[in-house]
Amino acid sequence: MVDIHNEYLSAGGNRHPEAADWDIATGVFAYGADRNIALWLPLDVHQVGLGALISGHTDKVNTVKFLPQTPQDIPILISGSVDKTVRLWRGSQTSKYEFQNAAILTGHSGSINCLAAVAGSDRIASGAADATVKIWQITVSENSTSANLVQTISLRPRFFPLALALSHLHENATLILAVGGTKSFVQVYVPDTVEQSTLFTNRATLTGHAGWIRSLDFVHEAQGCSGDLLLASASQDKYIRLWRVHEGETLPEPGIEVQNSSLETTGKSLSNKAYRFGTADLKYSLTFEALLLGHEDWIYTVTWYRHGEMLKLLSASADNSLAIWESDSSSGIWICTTRLGEISAQKGSTTATGSSGGFYSGLWSPNGGSVVSLGRTGSWRLWTHNADQDRWLQELGLTGHVKHVKGIAWAKGGSYLLSTSSDQTTRLHAEWKRGTNRSWHEFARPQIHGYDMNCIESIRDGRFISGADEKLLRVFDEPVDVAQVLEKLCGITRNVGQEMPGVVNIPVLGLSNKAVKVPDDEEPLSVEGDKRNDAIQTTTTRGLTPNIAHPPFEDQLARHTLWPEREKLYGHGYEISLVAASNDGTLIATACKASSADHAVIRLYETQEWREIKPPLAAHSLTVTCIRFSADDKLLLSVGRDRQWAIFAREDGQHHYALKASNAKGHSRMILSASWTPLAHGRTFATAGRDKVVKIWVAQGDDFKCKTIIQAPSPVTSVDFLPRSLGNELILAVGAENGDLVLHSIEGSNFEKLRTFTIDPK
């Protein structure tokens, strides 16, 4: 019996203000991760990280919302996507991470941007880039979940909704809907009567903001659904406005900010115009309550939280800060009592030199004791209030790539995993060991680049090479502070006798991580091999403190875990597409994007002096897609978009290789991946391509013949043999274009397929 389970999941959050929600009932945090929905328990004491991924959408997820207070306490998750659909996911009462797609709501003709739901109602609202808001009725029974379209609101004047808020007006069933988006006003919709079947109509248009509306949230001033209703609106004009919905004919007293004429110096309108509306038997007024100033850039989200009788408002901004606002008990003025995040003196610079790019989202935990925020790098930061110290302390959050992962590579000893992505970062993942608890986390961000990354390979423990959309490759060495942290928290021993670089220096407008010697904390920093240090504006990142007791936080990863660059390798005429290293670490093989035989060559470099071994290896006419060294490094296998594979043999005692065998018609379409079997099973390899076929080739004399063909339901993009055999069985992993991951058990003598195991992505 084969046991296959998820050991580690890593996925960054979509940079959309509406793409996350924290369930009050279960404590599950859900966020959009490209076209998936990621599930996480931020307050889990075991700190195991990401728990599960929900798949179903065919494009990026823009908005996520839990349906509060469902019948039978069944968790219901709602999601909206660029694929123009809203999906309902029905949770399990036995597992917090198990959700099944219960319904797909169609009807929008544009990307879904926002959702709204309220406890005690079966109505939800969805807003899309087709300039409409749709009202749906959700039915949750013991065995099924469904939805019916109740109303379509065409927004006039036409704009795209970016934020929705839904609430009860009072203790009755009357609902109120606020809509904001790509205009500087907020529209308020209320039904004519209390009956649920009554359609929403536009009752007020709130003006005052000078930019797009990015977030809206309702809260009742008193517990329950009694008292006045407050609406918070956040805008790209850097301000938050509070609005009061009051029941009765008489108007409420104007807020203290409205009375204070000194605020007129801001140049913002503080008009207290009253908007009146009513249902069949109740009258309401809607007035401006307060203007909250303090952020210096766009405000993406505002969220209310009730702590007893006290209301708190959390705001997240592109100025790299979260702010918690409270009303002063004596004066009634709304003030910022807490500010979390960071202040950068170098606006617009790279993450490595100081700028985090702002916060796209901020959310309260169900108990109000913690908050999370999403940054530009796709990482979630977590802060928890410490009552003893009366301060907010940062805790371990969640990190992950935000664009396509283009390459992964294990350290030669298998102690950690390197990944690189189109998000222009390279990340190091390792297992955090503390007592009996084990969990994987990101421990370093060795490379933060200015080009999209394409490939990565480990040369030896503590050294790797990467390629990006540029014509050169870069070699990096592990700094001593990162090695110390990995040794302390992960049990990864380092070579004490091996000289390791110190901290890293980066030119603000450069791409090279330079090693910096720091003999003493009192002495100035000096860049190795660069005497023009005073003439170049640079930023030096201090290393990690070796006494940390947890994986680095996001701000530490972005600034203090860079690896210094050791060498650059030149020679290719176009963008680097792939790189491979020999098993003994003495050779590097590289290829670039190519449309002719002149550039579709493999260049070899030796790692002692970092010199190119000429001439380059020629066999292909289009881009080489995969290079693999055999386990003894005597053979080099390459496959390409020209549908052929080629094998080069190493000349005795030298670094030179010569073409030994090739097959110009190895597959009927481009070949995308290849892998060697362990040496015990002879000179045998597998190839896979867009023709939905995996082929196993066996050596016969000086040639190789196809022995086994394995069909796949979709184009195969990656294959890899387990480096060791299990008895007389080989394990072949096959990855497909549609996301399928399959393990095939192959008989080690005749190479026939024995069994197949499909890995559930959940």
Side-chain angles (χ1 to χ4, degrees), residues 503-523:
V503 294
V504 173
N505 177 286
I506 302 178
V508 172
L509 299 179
L511 298 174
S512 298
N513 304 354
K514 294 181 180 294
V516 177
K517 291 182 178 179
V518 188
D520 193 301
D521 289 340
E522 301 298 326
E523 296 182 26

Side-chain angles (χ1 to χ4, degrees), residues 433-731:
K433 301 175 181 178
R434 65 271 190 212
T436 58
N437 292 329
R438 299 285 192 275
S439 57
W440 282 75
H441 302 270
E442 182 181 347
F443 272 85
R445 203 161 296 166
Q447 185 181 11
I448 300 174
H449 206 35
Y451 292 96
D452 291 0
M453 304 300 301
N454 292 329
C455 53
I456 191 168
E457 180 66 294
S458 179
I459 300 175
R460 60 168 172 78
D461 287 344
R463 177 176 293 175
F464 72 88
I465 183 171
S466 65
D469 279 342
E470 53 181 347
K471 301 176 184 179
L472 59 100
L473 296 103
R474 300 172 188 268
V475 180
F476 296 86
D477 280 346
E478 182 181 26
V480 63
D481 54 328
V482 172
Q484 290 172 347
V485 171
L486 290 175
E487 184 174 25
K488 177 183 177 182
L489 300 182
C490 306
I492 301 174
T493 58
R494 59 192 176 98
N495 189 346
V496 180
Q498 178 181 317
E499 182 180 355
M500 288 186 168
V503 294
V504 173
N505 177 286
I506 302 178
V508 172
L509 299 179
L511 298 174
S512 298
N513 304 354
K514 294 181 180 294
V516 177
K517 291 182 178 179
V518 188
D520 193 301
D521 289 340
E522 301 298 326
E523 296 182 26
L525 298 170
S526 62
V527 182
E528 293 182 3
D530 190 352
K531 297 181 180 179
R532 299 173 296 114
N533 197 35
D534 295 336
I536 303 175
Q537 183 186 2
T538 59
T539 296
T540 300
T541 64
R542 294 284 178 182
L544 284 174
T545 56
N547 58 352
I548 64 172
H550 52 76
F553 296 144
E554 171 58 24
D555 53 338
Q556 296 171 322
L557 287 169
R559 292 203 180 103
H560 306 309
T561 62
L562 288 167
W563 289 23
E565 184 180 303
R566 180 180 183 86
E567 194 68 43
K568 295 183 180 72
L569 303 182
Y570 298 90
H572 287 290
Y574 291 95
E575 294 87 349
I576 304 300
S577 60
L578 64 93
V579 60
S582 61
N583 295 280
D584 61 9
T586 61
L587 286 177
I588 301 294
T590 70
C592 71
K593 298 177 182 179
S595 57
S596 66
D598 292 339
H599 293 282
V601 295
I602 300 170
R603 297 186 183 274
L604 298 179
Y605 302 84
E606 51 86 15
T607 60
Q608 188 67 30
E609 300 292 335
W610 303 105
R611 295 175 180 174
E612 182 181 354
I613 301 169
K614 296 183 178 181
L617 307 182
H620 296 276
S621 58
L622 294 174
T623 303
V624 178
T625 55
C626 184
I627 301 173
R628 290 293 184 94
F629 285 91
S630 61
D632 57 3
D633 294 328
K634 292 183 178 180
L635 297 179
L636 186 150
L637 167 66
S638 66
V639 297
R641 295 171 62 90
D642 56 3
R643 308 179 185 182
Q644 74 165 320
W645 56 258
I647 292 179
F648 301 86
R650 189 171 188 170
E651 298 179 2
D652 292 339
Q654 300 183 28
H655 290 324
H656 293 276
Y657 283 75
L659 183 63
K660 177 181 180 180
S662 65
N663 189 325
K665 298 181 179 179
H667 283 253
S668 60
R669 298 189 65 183
M670 66 177 69
I671 308 177
L672 298 175
S673 185
S675 178
W676 289 99
T677 63
L679 276 180
H681 298 272
R683 301 297 188 185
T684 305
F685 63 91
T687 58
R690 192 163 288 280
D691 56 2
K692 305 179 183 180
V693 165
V694 177
K695 294 184 177 182
I696 298 178
W697 306 80
V698 179
Q700 292 185 1
D702 291 333
D703 201 2
F704 291 80
K705 300 297 182 182
C706 180
K707 180 68 175 179
T708 303
I709 297 178
I710 302 174
Q711 300 289 339
S714 67
V716 180
T717 54
S718 183
V719 292
D720 194 40
F721 276 107
L722 186 70
R724 66 181 186 277
S725 55
L726 303 178
N728 195 38
E729 289 187 27
L730 298 169
I731 301 298

Side-chain angles (χ1 to χ4, degrees), residues 168-170 219-222 224-231 243-248 251-253 284-285 287 289 306 311:
H168 293 281
L169 270 172
H170 210 264
V219 69
H220 281 274
E221 200 169 30
C225 290
S226 59
D228 289 353
L229 189 66
L230 295 179
L231 170 65
W243 312 84
R244 179 180 294 273
V245 180
H246 178 72
E247 181 186 352
L251 294 177
E253 289 294 326
Y284 296 91
S285 62
T287 55
E289 175 72 11
R306 178 184 301 284
L311 290 177

Side-chain angles (χ1 to χ4, degrees), residues 255-512:
I256 188 68
E257 286 87 345
V258 179
Q259 302 176 41
N260 189 347
S261 60
S262 66
L263 291 180
E264 295 177 0
T265 59
T266 62
K268 300 300 173 184
S269 170
L270 298 182
S271 169
N272 198 29
K273 176 183 177 182
Y275 302 87
R276 296 182 181 273
F277 59 89
T279 58
D281 53 355
L282 295 174
K283 302 297 182 181
Y284 296 91
S285 62
L286 200 161
T287 55
F288 172 69
E289 175 72 11
L291 179 69
L292 278 56
L293 305 88
H295 285 297
E296 299 177 353
D297 211 330
W298 292 4
I299 303 173
Y300 284 116
T301 62
V302 284
T303 310
W304 290 104
Y305 180 78
R306 178 184 301 284
H307 181 68
E309 293 295 329
M310 180 184 296
L311 290 177
K312 297 182 178 182
L313 183 67
L314 175 68
S315 60
S317 169
D319 64 6
N320 303 332
S321 72
L322 292 178
I324 299 177
W325 307 81
E326 298 178 20
S327 177
D328 183 73
S329 57
S330 58
S331 65
I333 296 177
W334 286 86
I335 58 175
C336 177
T337 59
T338 303
R339 189 175 291 271
L340 306 172
E342 53 196 76
I343 299 175
S344 172
Q346 295 175 318
K347 294 291 183 181
S349 56
T350 67
T351 306
T353 54
S355 176
S356 66
F359 292 148
Y360 288 82
S361 180
L363 291 169
W364 292 99
S365 66
N367 62 8
S370 301
V371 296
V372 294
S373 69
L374 175 68
R376 182 184 64 85
T377 58
S379 302
W380 291 96
R381 304 192 192 189
L382 173 67
W383 285 271
T384 297
H385 185 260
N386 186 299
D388 295 334
Q389 302 181 30
D390 191 24
R391 57 182 296 202
W392 291 82
L393 302 178
Q394 189 171 182
E395 296 193 0
L396 188 62
L398 205 61
T399 66
H401 289 290
V402 293
K403 292 186 178 180
H404 299 163
V405 178
K406 303 298 288 291
I408 54 175
W410 287 101
K412 288 299 183 182
S415 55
Y416 57 77
L417 178 70
L418 294 166
S419 63
T420 198
S421 164
S422 296
D423 65 7
Q424 303 182 353
T425 66
T426 295
R427 307 182 186 224
L428 185 151
H429 315 262
E431 187 179 35
W432 181 23
K433 301 175 181 178
R434 65 271 190 212
T436 58
N437 292 329
R438 299 285 192 275
S439 57
W440 282 75
H441 302 270
E442 182 181 347
F443 272 85
R445 203 161 296 166
Q447 185 181 11
I448 300 174
H449 206 35
Y451 292 96
D452 291 0
M453 304 300 301
N454 292 329
C455 53
I456 191 168
E457 180 66 294
S458 179
I459 300 175
R460 60 168 172 78
D461 287 344
R463 177 176 293 175
F464 72 88
I465 183 171
S466 65
D469 279 342
E470 53 181 347
K471 301 176 184 179
L472 59 100
L473 296 103
R474 300 172 188 268
V475 180
F476 296 86
D477 280 346
E478 182 181 26
V480 63
D481 54 328
V482 172
Q484 290 172 347
V485 171
L486 290 175
E487 184 174 25
K488 177 183 177 182
L489 300 182
C490 306
I492 301 174
T493 58
R494 59 192 176 98
N495 189 346
V496 180
Q498 178 181 317
E499 182 180 355
M500 288 186 168
V503 294
V504 173
N505 177 286
I506 302 178
V508 172
L509 299 179
L511 298 174
S512 298

Side-chain angles (χ1 to χ4, degrees), residues 18-21 30-32 37 61-66 77-79 115:
E18 299 289 323
D21 197 20
Y31 66 90
I37 302 171
V61 175
N62 280 341
T63 176
V64 171
K65 188 74 66 176
F66 281 99
L77 180 62
I78 315 166
S79 61
L115 295 166

